Amino acid sequence: MHFTKSFKSSPHSSPSPDGRYVATLLPTSITIRSVASLDIVRTVKLASDLSTGVTTFVWSPSSTRVLIAAADRFHVFSVTSADFHGLVQILQPPATKPAFVRFGATDDEVFVFSPVGLKLSVVNLVSSKAVEINNPKFFSAVSAPRGYSFRPGTHHLALLTRTAGKDIISIHSADTREIQRSWYPETVDAQGLAWTPNGKWLVVWDSPAHGTRVLFCTHDGHVLKDWRGDHTPSSLDDMGQYGIGVKSLALSPNGRYTAVADGSSRISILNDRFVEEVRLHHTLTVEPKETLQIWQEKIDLRTGQRVAPSFIKATQAVSPPGLSPNSTSDILHGCNLAKFDSSSSLLASRLDDAPSTIWIWDVPTSELRAVLMYHANVTKAEWHPSQPELLLVRCESEEYSSLAFAWDPLSNGPRPIEFSHHLPSPKVTGRTDATWLETNSESAAIFFTDHAKYILLSLADADDDAALPWTTHVAMDTPTDFNISSNDIDEHNISDMDEGITELDDTFHFKKSPVP
């Protein structure tokens, strides 16, 4: 493995979607660091009113702009040049702040969800116009993303709203966001919607409280498939025949599979004709075999100090923590996580009753490939965005705050990665985060921050410098600094060299086509 030296961080520090930059919001400025050179390539000085009260700091879809939300003001800055600074102000009720703020389908629009879901404001930065849509059903940071979806290829917006106790789905144009059509879906309390990856179908699923129901609709609301699990529509006249509901739903990147996890221990895999092709069962006990590896975390204590955990391979049947084979109850709380990898061949899942265990399934063969058992609850299981069969896992509790685990089918169990040894302080401070860094290099890379410092890690072999996504030499870079403390934008050069750049520690379009 290769670690960089640490760089100054903050609670608002994140890599760009394309992995080329890392943006950090500091009290008086934004720094943009190039991953390739590890140099600061741009510094944006901020006005005094942005030094506190920032609630949102996010990248645009194309990685060319960043958005800062503070109270009722929203700033958009270009990270590649000093010729753009967008300022949007949307008045909010007294003593409140927007519930959720994000870029839209492109870098030229901003979505602002008002408190308590009164409205969604869609601001176009090019035309300086805004469209207000009343009563979005989901508006919080946790729930809002499942309440709207952009159609792949055309960027038409599908939005779920609710008025007078009824769900409404509306389709909005890609350029003006004006409504083109709307309808009442056949749901009682829809819990989300999403376009399929090919943009042909809109998937809507109902609340678990109202049985298992997933609708596959056309863009104008016609239902192609009303999927209800084991039950046919005729059998649903008796309320007792209702299923146990949809707990989570995932679409495979290639568009071939839809994973529907319900309130039991099973996951139904639907094919591209929306017919159940595979049913995966989480059993109370798992037994290793030639095609199934079971890895259990082992913690060693040396001289009274905890060291990085290791994993041992199970040789006999075991029960994941939380699942007891002697339990007299058949009730399970269901699967709360289901994610496909970038190749759509592997699916990672987690049960409510066994939150410290990750199950990894081979979807084409319908077989369980691996079971990863930890001593703490898993808080993140994230597949690499482009490299197939590569999983990043994180666990809760202070002992795991500086740890991450990388797994792939050829590894000897999950590989623990200890970041605290490469930070200035041996003890991490504050909340930590680790995520994949999208790069064009052969080896995968990880971004880690404790909100005081951040470091980058490459999983390349220790002697393989050519596979690194960054150079191993210090670059003499002179970043561009521009001041946006007022509405005017000034650009000038500064000659101070970035003090945070050090050598590596080698220790280990938009398409405006109409809706068809």
Side-chain angles (χ1 to χ4, degrees):
M1 298 183 188
H2 293 253
F3 291 83
T4 66
K5 294 294 185 180
S6 61
F7 305 102
K8 191 172 184 179
S9 186
S10 76
H12 300 287
S13 183
S14 63
S16 60
D18 62 6
R20 296 179 59 193
Y21 305 104
V22 175
T24 302
L25 177 63
L26 301 175
T28 60
S29 65
I30 302 172
T31 61
I32 308 298
R33 188 180 301 275
S34 168
V35 171
S37 65
L38 297 180
D39 293 333
I40 289 181
V41 295
R42 189 162 300 281
T43 300
V44 181
K45 291 185 178 180
L46 301 176
S48 58
D49 62 340
L50 288 178
S51 60
T52 59
V54 173
T55 57
T56 301
F57 182 67
V58 293
W59 281 93
S60 66
S62 69
S63 303
T64 61
R65 295 175 180 175
V66 291
L67 167 67
I68 299 178
D72 60 353
R73 296 165 67 89
F74 313 95
H75 295 262
V76 178
F77 305 124
S78 171
V79 302
T80 57
S81 65
D83 57 2
F84 182 86
H85 170 215
L87 174 60
V88 178
Q89 185 170 15
I90 301 177
L91 296 180
Q92 305 294 330
T96 64
K97 60 184 180 181
F100 185 67
V101 182
R102 283 296 184 273
F103 279 99
T106 70
D107 297 3
D108 294 326
E109 63 179 4
V110 176
F111 278 40
V112 181
F113 289 80
S114 66
V116 302
L118 295 177
K119 64 182 179 180
L120 163 63
S121 300
V122 182
V123 182
N124 189 301
L125 300 176
V126 176
S127 64
S128 299
K129 295 181 179 180
V131 174
E132 293 186 347
I133 307 171
N134 294 327
N135 305 313
K137 183 170 185 177
F138 301 112
F139 54 87
S140 69
V142 175
S143 63
R146 70 172 187 264
Y148 69 93
S149 181
F150 300 111
R151 192 177 191 181
T154 67
H155 294 168
H156 286 86
L157 169 67
L159 179 67
L160 182 62
T161 59
R162 189 172 179 88
T163 304
K166 292 185 177 180
D167 294 326
I168 302 174
I169 295 176
S170 55
I171 304 297
H172 301 257
S173 69
D175 48 1
T176 66
R177 293 305 181 203
E178 295 293 337
I179 188 170
Q180 292 185 326
R181 58 182 60 86
S182 64
W183 68 91
Y184 294 98
E186 299 175 15
T187 55
V188 180
D189 185 14
Q191 291 301 292
L193 53 73
W195 289 103
T196 56
N198 59 12
K200 290 184 177 181
W201 313 108
L202 187 64
V203 186
V204 187
W205 59 99
D206 213 341
S207 167
H210 302 287
T212 301
R213 192 170 197 182
V214 182
L215 304 176
F216 296 89
C217 309
T218 62
H219 66 273
D220 53 2
H222 291 87
V223 178
L224 173 72
K225 178 76 173 182
D226 184 352
W227 188 81
R228 306 206 184 188
D230 293 333
H231 305 286
T232 60
S234 60
S235 71
L236 296 175
D237 294 335
D238 181 3
M239 291 295 291
Q241 296 297 321
Y242 268 68
I244 48 185
V246 177
K247 186 81 171 182
S248 59
L249 184 144
L251 301 171
S252 65
N254 64 5
R256 181 178 177 182
Y257 303 113
T258 302
V260 182
D262 58 22
S264 71
S265 61
R266 73 182 185 186
I267 300 177
S268 297
I269 306 296
L270 312 185
N271 58 25
D272 52 7
R273 299 182 301 278
F274 313 127
V275 176
E276 186 173 5
E277 183 175 290
V278 175
R279 184 172 296 179
L280 310 175
H281 289 273
H282 300 81
T283 57
L284 294 177
T285 59
V286 287
E287 185 172 356
K289 53 185 179 180
E290 185 177 350
T291 58
L292 170 59
Q293 296 183 350
I294 303 172
W295 296 98
Q296 296 175 290
E297 181 184 355
K298 176 184 177 182
I299 297 180
D300 295 325
L301 293 177
R302 300 176 185 174
T303 64
Q305 295 182 347
R306 182 182 182 277
V307 298
S310 58
F311 287 80
I312 58 174
K313 191 175 181 180
T315 57
Q316 58 185 1
V318 295
S319 294
L323 297 182
S324 172
N326 299 321
S327 174
T328 59
S329 174
D330 293 331
I331 299 177
L332 293 174
H333 294 100
C335 176
N336 57 21
L337 180 144
K339 291 183 178 180
F340 286 96
D341 79 322
S342 61
S343 69
S344 302
S345 62
L346 295 186
L347 179 75
S349 63
R350 180 187 59 200
L351 294 176
D352 280 330
D353 284 354
S356 62
T357 300
I358 295 295
W359 311 64
I360 300 174
W361 307 86
D362 189 316
V363 177
T365 63
S366 310
E367 293 184 350
L368 183 61
R369 178 179 289 193
V371 178
L372 315 178
M373 300 182 185
Y374 296 86
H375 285 303
N377 293 347
V378 174
T379 57
K380 172 182 281 190
E382 178 183 280
W383 291 107
H384 193 282
S386 60
Q387 297 190 24
E389 303 185 344
L390 188 54
L391 184 68
L392 177 68
V393 178
R394 298 211 69 209
C395 298
E396 67 179 3
S397 84
E398 184 178 353
E399 290 78 10
Y400 292 85
S401 61
S402 61
L403 275 171
F405 302 89
W407 175 89
D408 67 78
L410 301 180
S411 63
N412 192 25
R415 289 175 287 176
I417 305 170
E418 178 61 74
F419 290 94
S420 63
H421 301 325
H422 304 274
L423 295 171
S425 173
K427 184 177 179 62
V428 297
T429 59
R431 180 176 174 270
T432 63
D433 187 31
T435 187
W436 290 116
L437 185 69
E438 178 69 290
T439 63
N440 295 324
S441 61
E442 297 179 359
S443 64
I446 297 174
F447 168 87
F448 176 88
T449 178
D450 67 351
H451 294 178
K453 298 288 184 179
Y454 72 82
I455 54 179
L456 308 180
L457 159 73
S458 172
L459 297 179
D461 294 336
D463 57 351
D464 189 6
D465 290 347
L468 294 177
W470 48 76
T471 59
T472 57
H473 301 286
V474 177
M476 303 294 292
D477 188 59
T478 54
T480 300
D481 178 292
F482 57 95
N483 190 332
I484 47 84
S485 57
S486 64
N487 290 333
D488 297 328
I489 300 176
D490 298 323
E491 181 178 8
H492 57 279
N493 292 329
I494 61 174
S495 57
D496 294 336
M497 186 178 68
D498 175 27
E499 296 179 354
I501 302 169
T502 56
E503 292 184 355
L504 292 176
D505 183 4
D506 185 7
T507 56
F508 280 358
H509 57 105
F510 188 61
K511 180 180 178 184
K512 296 184 180 178
S513 59
V515 177

